[in-house]
Amino acid sequence: RNTMYTGAREALMNIVKHAAAKNVWIDVRCVDSEVVLAIEDDGIGFDARTAATRENTNGSGFGLTNLRERMNHLGAKFEIESAVGKGTRLTLTAPTAPHSHEERKEL
């Protein structure tokens, strides 16, 4: 749960700082046994193909690099789609945690 929250927070902070977006859309769904979080903006976008290289050479984008690494460590998926002038869409997909019997309470 914390990783999805942190991912949403990081994405929204990046939008505020860098995207110059007028609109942001957030979609959270449970699909089969996964939680899918998608955040999309209509901002200035960037060249997603070169972002990884830029992140490693000048230190920018650490938040997204860190998030990508955390998601991979958890066996979750991190996808980012963007193009200059076309906005950005970040999708995080993580398995749902099984609920223990103690968490289920009868009302």
Side-chain angles (χ1 to χ4, degrees), residues 4-101:
M4 296 301 263
Y5 169 79
T6 302
R9 182 181 175 279
E10 183 66 37
L12 293 170
M13 292 300 294
N14 282 343
I15 292 168
V16 169
K17 290 179 183 178
H18 307 293
K22 292 182 181 174
N23 298 289
V24 176
W25 299 271
I26 300 173
D27 183 36
V28 180
R29 299 171 190 243
C30 286
V31 179
D32 298 324
S33 60
E34 297 180 316
V35 175
V36 180
L37 168 67
I39 300 176
E40 185 172 354
D41 70 63
D42 62 355
I44 61 172
F46 59 93
D47 184 349
R49 294 173 295 166
T50 61
T53 303
R54 186 176 63 240
E55 288 173 357
N56 293 332
T57 60
N58 71 10
S60 67
F62 174 75
L64 290 178
T65 300
N66 191 15
L67 179 59
R68 180 183 297 124
E69 290 172 0
R70 280 184 283 157
M71 294 298 286
N72 288 338
H73 178 72
L74 294 171
K77 299 175 196 165
F78 173 99
E79 298 172 304
I80 192 157
E81 302 168 53
S82 188
V84 176
K86 303 283 185 176
T88 302
R89 179 180 177 90
L90 173 71
T91 305
L92 306 175
T93 306
T96 57
H99 296 287
S100 69
H101 291 292

